[in-house]
Amino acid sequence: MLFNSYVFLFIFLPAAIIVYRAIDGYPWLRTWTLIVLSLVFYGYGSPWFLIVLIGSITLNWLAANAFAATGNGAIITGAVVANL
């Protein structure tokens, strides 16, 4: 789905705004809603892309936890290189 496609402009974007406004009163739910909307947007083009996105998210999360525990900057460098 491209940002200038009719599907995005007239279906996905209004639906995403409505959903996000509906959960505005629940701060703990906002992040998860954005994650799900991002996965739907990214996976619309090709569901195989979800594997790459979820793998990247998992790698970055693990790298952030490892960096927080050790303070080793090489972990962040490795995560950035892996993402590229």
Side-chain angles (χ1 to χ4, degrees):
M1 174 180 340
L2 299 174
F3 289 115
N4 61 350
S5 70
Y6 291 121
V7 174
F8 175 78
L9 291 174
F10 298 120
I11 297 173
F12 181 79
L13 184 60
I17 291 171
I18 289 168
V19 168
Y20 192 76
R21 293 297 297 162
I23 58 99
D24 198 29
Y26 306 97
W28 59 272
L29 195 54
R30 289 183 202 155
T31 302
W32 290 107
T33 302
L34 288 177
I35 290 170
V36 169
L37 289 171
S38 297
L39 291 173
V40 169
F41 175 79
Y42 199 66
Y44 182 82
S46 174
W48 290 105
F49 291 155
L50 289 177
I51 295 170
V52 175
L53 182 61
I54 291 170
S56 176
I57 290 169
T58 304
L59 173 75
N60 292 326
W61 181 76
L62 292 171
N65 285 338
F67 176 74
T70 64
N72 186 357
I75 294 171
I76 299 299
T77 303
V80 169
V81 168
N83 280 306
L84 292 175

